[in-house]
Amino acid sequence: MKLNLLFCLLILPTFMWAQGPGAIPGNGQFKKGNRPKIGTVSGKIIDAETSENLEFVTVALYSERDTTFLTGASTDPQGRFKIIDVPVGKMFAKITFIGYEEMQTASFVIKPDQKDKFLGALALSSGAQNLDEVTVTAERDIMELGIDRKSFNVSQDLTTVGGSMTDALNNIPSIDIDAEGTLSLRGSSNVTIFIDGKPSNLTSSSDADILDQIPASSIERVEVITNPSAKYDPEGTSGIINIILKKDRKGGINGNVSATLGNNNKYNLSAGVNARVNKFNIYANYSGRYQERYVNKDLHQNNLDEGGFMTDYNKQTSRRDDERYSHLFKGGIDYDINDYNNVYFSATYNTGYRNKNENLNLNYFDANDNALSQINRINDSRSTSENKEFNFGYRKTFVNPNQSLDISGQYSDGIRDNNGYYQEYDRGMGDHSDPIFEQQNESPERNKIYLGQIDYVQPIGENGTLETGWKSTGREIQTDFYSESMNAGMWTPDDSLNNNFNYNESVHALYVMYRHQFGKWGLQGGLRAEQAYTTSHLEENEVTEEQTVNNNYFAVYPTLHVAYKFADMREVSIGYSRRVNRPRGRSLNPFPDYANPQSLRQGNPYLKPEFIDAIEATYQHGWENLTLTGSLYYRYTHDAIQRVQMAQPDGVMVMTWDNVDHSQSYGAEAIATYNMTKWWKLTGSANIYNILITGTSGDLDLTNQAWAMNGKLMSSTSLTKTLSLQVTARFSSQRATAQGYIAPMGGVDMAVSQKLFKGKGTLQARVTDVFNTYKFNVYSEGVGFNSDMTFDWESRVGYLTFSYRFGNASKKPKKGSKQRRSGQGDSMDMMD
């Protein structure tokens, strides 16, 4: 009984406030009063014994006349709160916080000549209950909506436990990851990935391998920002995916450990500890992963003459065995100098290793099915990576909790060494043990990121906020390639292949943004101006002259968001933004990748950035047990970057990138959360979109258009108080590419979770791709060829995970589903 009462005191007022001012506890509706909302109530909450500031404390206002709930908020990290749009009348405040006795203030009045009420410093006394003996948890919503983003709490997804960041992202609506690790958002692979709101070498790898090295357990939430405000970098055609890593701020010492075992040699281990004592908060996390996985690939390519008739064809079949392991360390410290000044520092270190051993059979036939040649190629490639990242900053807040100054910096240094060893055997000329071709190469790559940023927020009046800032980002990408082949028993350099390619970029930006609350209306407008300097430099070798390509440009990126919150759990918003996609790395390097001599990948140093105009409208409607969110969106891309495939006269395929005239994409997205019962919740999403590509690359017409859709459905069931079951299904229809299509694909994941040791331990079992149906098939055609390729990777895998958390929960709560960290009392989140 005491536990239930404590839960209600903590969660219920906050839940009601999150529905908007005037919500009446108990019926989920809004009180329709006529009293003007002109007041402001503020104050500060501290611990009565230690005078420590208390964060996440719920402050709720109630009418003196009939004790009706009016509005409320929660405290910020300095213990301060500010509730705006308070209606006139006589009222009192209730302060509730887990582990403390409830406090009720004396009554006070808000009226036209006394609009502001400062309650001062309110001291809470610890409750008699020992929190080490009981755990109170409040499950957060899987999705939370802001004016310019959707936040997904991946900790609620059982099918990602023991998995990687790739697994977590692949279960989020609108996001898809194909067999090669390419991530796309709403059908576009040109998406920017941030870690904790900043670019990072943890996500800068072009083949996305690094995403599979970061465990899902290290993620707090994922923000999908399809129409970012002017504060954010305007990079990415479809938007920004911002991955927020965990950083605990509980009081005392707390920690967790987790171990995962998967079939066919797959192991994960993670551990974290957090200590908060007085003004210091120190945390450290570790995760390690090891896995072995196989990939089978089949390719059939027809080579055509000018009349479109087949002259010859080839079949490629391969089996690739992947072995990889990684370690990720993250630690940091926060120090509260005083109530208004805070400094912080964090460091992340990641190291990884990957070994890919591929047995590739190349079979060539003429038009009459006569064998021309049969080659067996062994591709053995190994790569090691090391990434170091440091973040530091200073944050100043003021008496007004909505005013702040942030100064931050970042340095990130990533090194990746790629080494390959290749052998070819002629199987058509009898059984020969000696290879007809041997080659080895190494390709070290270094990626550095420098970042400096200043952000200032200034409240204007009671309902307005002006935000401005400066940001400079620098990148250095250095790629060397050295190859040598066996000739007459000696290794000799391949001078025509060896190269050195460097890319340097600096972007300097200023932005200004204003947001205002007009009753139920919310407005957010901004302008970002950027000057970009980019240089691609290719050093001279025997067959290629030195090349330096400079591309400097100035651009302005306006943004506008308008939202309206109805009085019955409904909200609508519309937003516009201008964005850019800057080519980097392999897409610019003109030297090809020779891992498969019949399928080369080559960059284009003259590739230009593409600019995108995007508009989106979102409507959300909530009932007692059902929440529906629908979006309509449109993107127009100038100088659209597209992958282009061409067949050389000898049949070798070359994949590169080029700018076409433009592309358009428009579609509709729907997300629904339905609590069928107290123990069964369904979350579903569907995205239907059309892509129109218009333009040419040389003599190749790349114009193409097609509709596509993808959907995901997650069923979460509480079988008992401690046993949960989750089933997740996803499906993608046929999707158009510039030169063909990707065939439909889908699969089902399943997970079961059992809580142990009074909730401190959890045993979870999950199976990915239960029916083994998740395969990747792509058809392409162009001048002189058509091809059909299928990837079939080890997707059905079983995992068993045990996790345990320890420590105390003194002074700090678990964040409830509707608690607001900002401490503002406004009825709509203008910025998350």
Side-chain angles (χ1 to χ4, degrees):
M1 183 67 182
K2 291 182 180 179
L3 179 60
N4 292 334
L5 178 60
L6 189 62
F7 177 85
C8 292
L9 291 176
L10 172 65
I11 299 299
L12 188 58
T14 309
F15 175 76
M16 292 300 112
W17 162 241
Q19 299 181 64
I24 302 175
N27 64 4
Q29 301 297 319
F30 285 78
K31 182 179 179 181
K32 298 181 179 179
N34 296 320
R35 293 181 294 173
K37 299 177 181 180
I38 61 174
T40 300
V41 177
S42 59
K44 184 176 181 178
I45 310 297
I46 62 174
D47 184 284
E49 299 178 1
T50 66
S51 297
E52 179 186 10
N53 302 325
L54 296 180
E55 185 180 7
F56 303 128
V57 178
T58 300
V59 182
L61 302 181
Y62 293 84
S63 170
E64 175 71 15
R65 183 183 61 181
D66 55 9
T67 66
T68 300
F69 173 75
L70 300 175
T71 183
S74 58
T75 57
D76 65 10
Q78 283 72 44
R80 294 171 295 167
F81 65 90
K82 182 179 181 182
I83 310 173
I84 65 175
D85 294 336
V86 178
V88 298
K90 193 173 184 180
M91 65 196 69
F92 62 89
K94 276 187 179 180
I95 296 92
T96 54
F97 190 48
I98 188 170
Y100 290 81
E101 296 179 356
E102 179 184 285
M103 171 184 287
Q104 180 172 317
T105 68
S107 299
F108 56 90
V109 177
I110 296 294
K111 53 186 179 179
D113 59 344
Q114 297 179 6
K115 295 187 296 182
D116 299 323
K117 178 64 177 178
F118 180 64
L119 298 180
L122 305 176
L124 291 186
S125 299
S126 298
Q129 186 175 12
N130 184 356
L131 293 183
D132 289 336
E133 298 175 358
V134 63
T135 300
V136 180
T137 60
E139 186 177 279
R140 300 179 66 185
D141 290 343
I142 290 178
M143 187 192 78
E144 299 173 1
L145 183 67
I147 193 173
D148 61 354
R149 75 195 63 191
K150 299 179 182 73
S151 295
F152 296 91
N153 303 305
V154 298
S155 60
Q156 303 300 319
D157 189 351
L158 300 183
T159 61
T160 66
V161 173
S164 67
M165 184 178 290
T166 300
D167 298 318
L169 293 177
N170 208 23
N171 278 353
I172 292 177
S174 304
I175 298 177
D176 285 291
I177 300 177
D178 66 21
E180 294 183 303
T182 302
L183 185 148
S184 62
L185 175 62
R186 288 179 174 173
S188 173
S189 59
N190 294 320
V191 56
T192 298
I193 302 176
F194 284 165
I195 299 290
D196 293 331
K198 295 181 175 65
S200 170
N201 273 322
L202 294 177
T203 60
S204 62
S205 177
S206 59
D207 59 6
D209 282 347
I210 194 70
L211 293 178
D212 208 39
Q213 298 178 14
I214 302 175
S217 60
S218 66
I219 306 173
E220 177 178 325
R221 69 181 186 276
V222 175
E223 297 177 341
V224 178
I225 312 174
T226 50
N227 236 343
S229 67
K231 179 179 180 179
Y232 288 91
D233 290 340
E235 289 199 54
T237 299
S238 54
I240 296 171
I241 296 175
N242 186 26
I243 301 167
I244 307 298
L245 300 182
K246 290 180 178 178
K247 184 181 74 170
D248 214 339
R249 290 183 64 90
K250 296 187 183 77
I253 299 177
N254 303 271
N256 62 83
V257 293
S258 176
T260 298
L261 171 65
N263 64 289
N264 297 333
N265 296 322
K266 298 173 180 64
Y267 312 96
N268 303 328
L269 177 66
S270 64
V273 64
N274 178 85
R276 182 169 178 85
V277 181
N278 297 325
K279 296 183 177 183
F280 287 93
N281 183 68
I282 304 172
Y283 59 93
N285 296 282
Y286 164 78
S287 61
R289 288 173 52 81
Y290 175 87
Q291 68 168 322
E292 297 176 6
R293 194 180 292 262
Y294 66 82
V295 180
N296 293 322
K297 184 176 74 171
D298 293 301
L299 171 67
H300 182 103
Q301 176 184 318
N302 295 320
N303 298 314
L304 313 175
D305 60 19
E306 294 182 356
F309 296 99
M310 184 180 68
T311 58
D312 58 86
Y313 67 94
N314 67 78
K315 291 183 177 180
Q316 302 179 26
T317 60
S318 72
R319 158 86 180 210
R320 191 182 77 203
D321 293 306
D322 282 10
E323 177 193 18
R324 64 178 73 182
Y325 63 79
S326 64
H327 303 278
L328 177 69
F329 302 86
K330 181 171 183 178
I333 183 171
D334 297 304
Y335 176 65
D336 296 325
I337 301 173
N338 52 41
D339 290 348
Y340 300 99
N341 295 274
N342 170 272
V343 292
Y344 61 87
F345 172 82
S346 68
T348 303
Y349 176 77
N350 169 260
T351 181
Y353 169 85
R354 183 175 185 180
N355 179 24
K356 296 186 291 185
N357 188 277
E358 181 182 31
N359 191 321
L360 173 64
N361 292 311
L362 304 168
N363 301 294
Y364 300 89
F365 304 88
D366 63 17
N368 297 317
D369 297 329
N370 297 313
L372 299 177
S373 65
Q374 295 176 295
I375 302 297
N376 176 237
R377 180 178 173 91
I378 305 300
N379 298 323
D380 186 6
S381 61
R382 304 183 181 189
S383 64
T384 59
S385 61
E386 182 181 27
N387 299 286
K388 294 173 288 186
E389 187 167 291
F390 306 95
N391 287 276
F392 47 90
Y394 163 76
R395 177 177 175 83
K396 178 176 178 59
T397 54
F398 301 83
V399 175
N400 187 332
N402 298 323
Q403 183 181 5
S404 64
L405 172 67
D406 287 274
I407 302 174
S408 61
Q410 175 187 304
Y411 171 71
S412 185
D413 188 359
I415 300 175
R416 183 169 183 165
D417 290 322
N418 302 291
N419 297 278
Y421 178 64
Y422 312 100
Q423 293 177 308
E424 288 186 3
Y425 298 86
D426 189 345
R427 294 188 297 110
M429 299 298 293
D431 184 14
H432 294 282
S433 59
D434 295 330
I436 61 173
F437 173 78
E438 281 186 276
Q439 185 183 60
Q440 60 185 14
N441 57 53
E442 58 183 16
S443 178
E445 178 180 322
R446 187 162 193 173
N447 193 332
K448 295 183 180 180
I449 299 176
Y450 309 86
L451 187 149
Q453 184 172 352
I454 299 176
D455 300 289
Y456 177 71
V457 181
Q458 173 64 54
I460 298 179
E462 294 184 356
N463 300 317
T465 302
L466 179 67
E467 188 166 352
T468 186
W470 157 85
K471 183 177 182 179
S472 286
T473 306
R475 293 178 185 267
E476 297 178 9
I477 303 176
Q478 300 173 345
T479 305
D480 294 332
F481 182 83
Y482 178 79
S483 174
E484 54 187 12
S485 299
M486 181 67 70
N487 291 303
M490 297 181 60
W491 290 104
T492 59
D494 298 320
D495 293 328
S496 61
L497 302 180
N498 297 333
N499 68 90
N500 182 282
F501 181 77
N502 297 322
Y503 174 79
N504 292 285
E505 171 189 292
S506 62
V507 180
H508 309 282
L510 291 171
Y511 77 90
V512 62
M513 185 173 67
Y514 180 74
R515 55 180 182 264
H516 198 97
Q517 193 81 24
F518 303 91
K520 298 178 181 180
W521 287 92
L523 172 67
Q524 178 176 285
L527 189 67
R528 187 182 186 92
E530 288 190 347
Q531 176 64 55
Y533 302 93
T534 68
T535 301
S536 300
H537 179 73
L538 179 67
E539 293 187 0
E540 180 181 7
N541 67 11
E542 286 193 353
V543 298
T544 304
E545 295 182 355
E546 182 177 4
Q547 297 182 43
T548 300
V549 180
N550 295 311
N551 186 17
N552 304 327
Y553 53 94
F554 175 82
V556 176
Y557 306 94
T559 64
L560 179 64
H561 297 83
V562 180
Y564 180 79
K565 175 164 281 190
F566 299 90
D568 55 353
M569 300 176 67
R570 291 180 294 158
E571 183 176 346
V572 63
S573 63
I574 186 169
Y576 163 81
S577 66
R578 181 171 173 82
R579 306 188 53 72
V580 64
N581 179 45
R582 301 183 234 270
R584 298 189 182 97
R586 292 185 181 178
S587 63
L588 296 175
N589 190 345
F591 267 86
D593 179 357
Y594 284 92
N596 184 343
Q598 290 298 312
S599 182
L600 307 181
R601 180 176 298 185
Q602 182 176 2
N604 177 5
Y606 298 98
L607 201 60
K608 298 182 296 184
E610 57 182 8
F611 292 89
I612 306 98
D613 291 294
I615 188 169
E616 179 173 349
T618 299
Y619 175 74
Q620 186 178 64
H621 197 138
W623 293 269
E624 183 176 358
N625 296 314
L626 175 65
T627 301
L628 294 177
T629 304
S631 300
L632 298 174
Y633 59 90
Y634 173 79
R635 295 193 303 263
Y636 187 96
T637 304
H638 310 262
D639 295 323
I641 297 175
Q642 293 292 323
R643 289 188 178 187
V644 179
Q645 285 184 300
M646 297 172 289
Q648 295 180 344
D650 57 0
V652 174
M653 294 297 302
V654 178
M655 193 279 287
T656 186
W657 289 263
D658 202 359
N659 294 103
V660 300
D661 184 39
H662 69 270
S663 68
Q664 299 179 69
S665 176
Y666 54 90
E669 180 183 64
I671 303 174
T673 301
Y674 179 41
N675 297 320
M676 297 184 65
T677 66
K678 292 182 179 180
W679 49 269
W680 191 2
K681 175 186 287 187
L682 292 175
T683 301
S685 66
N687 179 38
I688 303 175
Y689 59 94
N690 182 280
I691 295 179
L692 170 62
I693 301 169
T694 303
T696 61
S697 176
D699 297 330
L700 184 62
D701 184 6
L702 296 178
T703 301
N704 198 2
Q705 178 180 3
W707 284 92
M709 70 86 63
N710 54 55
K712 298 175 184 179
L713 178 64
M714 182 170 68
S715 170
S716 302
T717 308
S718 298
L719 302 177
T720 68
K721 290 183 178 180
T722 59
L723 182 64
S724 301
L725 172 68
Q726 181 175 304
V727 179
T728 302
R730 53 183 179 266
F731 170 77
S732 296
S733 71
Q734 181 171 297
R735 292 169 286 166
T737 65
Q739 293 178 258
Y741 61 84
I742 299 172
M745 57 194 302
V748 174
D749 300 338
M750 184 177 296
V752 62
S753 174
Q754 173 67 59
K755 294 182 180 179
L756 305 170
F757 310 119
K758 296 182 180 181
K760 291 187 176 182
T762 304
L763 183 65
Q764 294 171 314
R766 69 183 180 104
V767 179
T768 61
D769 195 14
V770 176
F771 303 106
N772 200 27
T773 58
Y774 215 66
K775 297 176 174 61
F776 181 77
N777 176 259
V778 58
Y779 173 80
S780 301
E781 60 182 24
V783 176
F785 83 98
N786 60 55
S787 67
D788 195 338
M789 179 178 63
T790 300
F791 279 94
D792 182 8
W793 67 98
E794 184 186 10
S795 55
R796 181 164 59 187
V797 181
Y799 297 93
L800 185 65
T801 299
F802 175 74
S803 57
Y804 185 81
R805 55 186 177 83
F806 58 89
N808 58 39
S810 64
K811 312 304 182 191
K812 295 291 175 183
K814 290 181 178 294
K815 288 193 278 186
S817 62
K818 301 295 182 181
Q819 284 177 317
R820 300 164 64 101
R821 182 177 179 127
S822 65
Q824 299 182 38
D826 52 339
S827 62
M828 179 172 54
D829 284 329
M830 296 301 295
M831 287 292 293
D832 186 79

